[in-house]
Amino acid sequence: METVEQRIQQVCEDREHGSRWLVKEAITILRDLARDERRPASERLRLLASVARQIVQARPAMGALTSAVGHVIQAHEEGLEAMGNAAQQLLDDYASATELMAEHARPYVKGRLMTCSISGTVLEVLVALKDQIEHVTVLEGRPRYEGRAMAQALHEKGIAVTIITDAQADIFLPQCQGVVVGADSLLINGDLLNKAGTALLAWAARGHDIPFYVLSETLKISPKRWHEHDPARMASNLALLEEKEPAEVFADAPSGIQVRNFYFDHTPYRLLTHVITENGLLDRRRIREIAVATRASERLLSKWHP
């Protein structure tokens, strides 16, 4: 049986799953800690605060982790039981989100589609709508090739699928009626953070006049902002993109060759045709409203020291 520490490490270091799986696992860890009566209440509170900060700081690109943790921490004044109940309610809401999202996506997500890497949210919505989906082309998602798992899962659900290298996207786009991707974060101005390669796919879709749809739980809306025209903020921008080990891209690279390996990239809101959530289509104004509400829980987390 995994320890709490091992489960936290898995969330912080995971490279294989989409954010939907990671968020569910993080919420489950917080719920289990809040309800673990083998530990004294004071120890559970200290652990909850420590775990919450560790998870949020380790995965800055995943706004849903910050939002989910904040929802649970907000209940701390009512006690551990309330925190456990808040976590369970989040899990229940999260479980039903993709079913609702699929109905809102039904008029748009159909025919021949393209997607990138792996997204549990996209997978569940495509499976729910498979009666109107003819074919899905999946980008492999270098450097760890998560798209292979996505293609395999779609195939097992009876959806026709082709997997291609990321660089082939523009070749296959003219055959598609739409591009559909998940989200690791939706920023306060509506911009998207998602698997590296998403932005290039969005620009290519724009060039071919193909609609670009984002499927995202509202929990993934973040109060963070991308500072596009401020070079002094570039370091904070890049911190959101989670740079990983260069060896994943080029093992044993010769001395003098710099290798970079960002896991996420930034797609401007203007390239998104629709942001589809469990609450329907959201425009930039509504995204901002939700992000502002989320900011309070983020501040609470930074100040909470039980």
Side-chain angles (χ1 to χ4, degrees), residues 220-267:
K220 294 178 180 176
I221 296 173
S222 167
K224 292 184 174 66
R225 177 183 297 277
W226 185 268
H227 302 280
E228 192 164 8
H229 303 295
D230 186 352
R233 300 284 191 95
M234 184 52 65
S236 63
N237 284 348
L238 295 182
L240 292 174
L241 305 184
E242 297 192 21
E243 188 167 13
K244 305 298 185 184
E245 296 86 353
E248 286 189 336
V249 174
F250 191 172
D252 303 316
S255 176
I257 296 179
Q258 185 180 35
V259 183
R260 307 297 296 272
N261 183 21
F262 287 100
Y263 263 45
F264 303 96
D265 66 16
H266 162 257
T267 304

Side-chain angles (χ1 to χ4, degrees), residues 66-111:
T66 302
S67 298
V69 166
H71 275 79
V72 176
I73 298 305
Q74 278 182 324
H76 76 278
E77 291 185 353
E78 299 175 46
L80 286 162
E81 182 179 356
M83 294 174 75
N85 291 341
Q88 184 59 55
Q89 185 62 54
L90 274 178
L91 289 170
D92 293 343
D93 293 343
Y94 215 54
S96 62
T98 51
E99 182 179 348
L100 297 170
M101 205 180 300
E103 289 311 304
H104 295 301
R106 186 171 289 278
Y108 311 102
V109 177
K110 55 188 175 182

Side-chain angles (χ1 to χ4, degrees), residues 2-49:
E2 290 182 314
T3 65
V4 170
E5 290 75 18
Q6 288 171 327
R7 293 170 67 191
I8 296 166
Q9 184 178 14
Q10 185 176 15
V11 169
C12 293
E13 298 180 1
D14 183 88
R15 313 283 179 91
E16 308 297 334
H17 299 89
S19 61
R20 182 171 177 80
W21 181 90
L22 287 168
V23 170
K24 288 167 66 176
E25 181 62 18
I27 299 171
T28 303
I29 291 170
L30 296 178
R31 181 202 63 190
D32 293 348
L33 270 177
R35 294 179 172 179
D36 185 2
E37 295 185 354
R38 296 170 299 176
R39 303 174 188 265
S42 58
E43 180 185 347
R44 279 184 276 164
L45 286 169
R46 284 195 301 271
L47 267 175
L48 280 164

Side-chain angles (χ1 to χ4, degrees), residues 112-146:
R112 299 182 68 88
L113 303 168
M114 182 174 287
T115 191
C116 62
S117 188
I118 190 167
S119 163
T121 301
V122 171
L123 176 61
E124 291 186 24
V125 170
L126 293 182
V127 170
L129 299 177
K130 72 176 186 177
D131 60 311
Q132 61 182 43
I133 293 172
E134 181 182 345
H135 184 274
V136 180
T137 299
V138 182
L139 308 190
E140 65 181 354
R142 282 207 70 198
R144 297 182 68 91
Y145 308 103
E146 306 97 314

Side-chain angles (χ1 to χ4, degrees), residues 161-182:
V161 61
T162 297
I163 188 164
I164 61 175
T165 62
D166 301 333
Q168 293 181 73
D170 191 70
I171 300 171
F172 288 84
L173 268 171
Q175 304 173 20
C176 299
Q177 282 80 59
V179 175
V180 55
V181 301

